[in-house]
Amino acid sequence: MFFQRFFAMANYSFSSSPSSSSKTSIQAIYDICKKNLTPISAPPPEVIHELSSLLDTIGPADVGLKEEHQEDDRGHGLSTPNTFNRVDRWAQPITYVDLNESQSFTMCMFCFPTSSVIPLHDHPEMTVLSKVLYGSLHVKAYDWVEPACIKDSKETARAPVRLAKLVVDKVLSAPCSASILYPKTGGNLHCFTAITSCAVLDILTPPYEESAGRKCTYYRDYPYSSFRSGDEPVAGKEDEYAWLEEIETPDDLYMRQGIYGGPPIQI
């Protein structure tokens, strides 16, 4: 599994929700994914609409998250004074919970301590639906400028940079609607920063698969003025653009495996 390499050895479990004889919301979402998503084609608009409408109704209890996990403030706030005297924001892991992994889609959750970060990364040829289940999350997202505008750096230790346009820069606070990114639009390259402890339910289709060309790549962003020469295909304000440099997977990206304890999902 793609995310497995980031996990610490610890497990983190969630309390199960009461069983029900009727189909649960998470089962309904899984059934739509299993029936309609494939590893070779993007989901049609009607399927995206159906999934996002269902995701809009999902809350923490629907996936087994309980009150005690929603108050888990293990980092330091973004504006807290004397932060250097407190635990580093990377000291506590983001918890990754696998709900389903197949050739067609991944369904998973990320549970963030306050101020933890998933750095800027891409989703090549993928569609991703995300729903903030509780808490507040800052999302910063870019799309590549096309045709590609690439510049070599004068510094030998730095990779070339490529021009991207900022399309999302906002805080999402539950309850809120699902967000959708597409292979070329909607903010395919994004970064998450937890304003409070929070959780996100994701559906990625098709899933990451390096052998199929869907490798997760991480980036560092620079202001447009850092490499401006005047011949870039820019329309609008300069602060709507940035240069992205490909980097290695950050060493301090710290995740651990959680155990799903919500309503059972019939595969």
Side-chain angles (χ1 to χ4, degrees):
M1 181 184 300
F2 168 76
F3 295 104
Q4 190 70 35
R5 64 186 179 200
F6 299 126
F7 297 148
M9 295 304 294
N11 282 336
Y12 194 58
S13 62
F14 300 87
S15 299
S16 297
S17 299
S19 61
S20 172
S21 58
S22 60
K23 180 183 289 190
T24 62
S25 297
I26 198 66
Q27 182 69 55
I29 290 173
Y30 171 82
D31 289 346
I32 294 171
C33 292
K34 183 178 181 180
K35 179 181 178 181
N36 296 284
L37 303 183
T38 77
I40 57 174
S41 61
E46 59 271 21
V47 173
I48 293 292
H49 175 73
E50 188 175 11
L51 281 173
S52 61
S53 296
L54 264 176
L55 284 170
D56 288 347
T57 70
I58 288 283
D62 295 304
V63 288
L65 296 178
K66 300 235 175 172
E67 187 73 21
E68 58 266 25
H69 300 112
Q70 299 181 30
E71 303 301 327
D72 188 13
D73 184 359
R74 292 178 268 174
H76 53 66
L78 297 178
S79 59
T80 302
N82 301 319
T83 55
F84 291 107
N85 295 325
R86 302 186 63 186
V87 64
D88 186 270
R89 70 179 182 181
W90 301 103
Q92 292 295 333
I94 296 166
T95 302
Y96 173 81
V97 182
D98 177 31
L99 279 68
N100 180 79
E101 179 85 11
S102 72
Q103 291 186 333
S104 298
F105 67 96
T106 295
M107 184 187 298
C108 60
M109 291 190 294
F110 294 91
C111 299
F112 296 78
T114 300
S115 73
S116 59
V117 177
I118 295 182
L120 185 64
H121 62 282
D122 64 354
H123 306 81
E125 303 305 319
M126 297 161 65
T127 301
V128 181
L129 295 92
S130 300
K131 173 64 188 295
V132 177
L133 298 168
Y134 65 78
S136 295
L137 183 74
H138 179 258
V139 180
K140 188 175 186 180
Y142 299 92
D143 287 326
W144 292 121
V145 170
E146 297 291 355
C149 181
I150 300 172
K151 294 191 176 183
D152 292 323
S153 173
K154 296 179 180 179
E155 300 179 27
T156 55
R158 177 176 289 170
V161 294
R162 181 174 174 182
L163 190 61
K165 185 172 184 179
L166 182 67
V167 295
V168 178
D169 188 6
K170 64 182 180 181
V171 173
L172 299 176
S173 297
C176 59
S177 299
S179 301
I180 308 166
L181 65 83
Y182 300 92
K184 303 296 184 183
T185 61
N188 188 273
L189 306 99
H190 67 199
C191 171
F192 288 160
T193 302
I195 304 302
T196 68
S197 60
C198 58
V200 178
L201 174 63
D202 271 356
I203 299 170
L204 302 89
T205 182
Y208 285 114
E209 178 55 62
E210 291 192 24
S211 63
R214 297 189 300 274
K215 174 187 175 183
C216 182
T217 303
Y218 289 87
Y219 297 88
R220 181 181 294 114
D221 55 348
Y222 297 93
Y224 173 73
S225 58
S226 300
F227 300 92
R228 175 179 52 194
S229 63
D231 58 349
E232 298 86 13
V234 172
K237 299 178 181 179
E238 288 188 2
D239 60 6
E240 295 176 347
Y241 294 85
W243 298 95
L244 306 190
E245 174 194 13
E246 182 176 336
I247 61 174
E248 296 294 327
T249 302
D251 291 335
D252 47 11
L253 176 56
Y254 182 25
M255 291 191 188
R256 64 180 175 185
Q257 176 100 52
I259 300 172
Y260 175 65
I265 300 173
Q266 299 299 319
I267 305 301

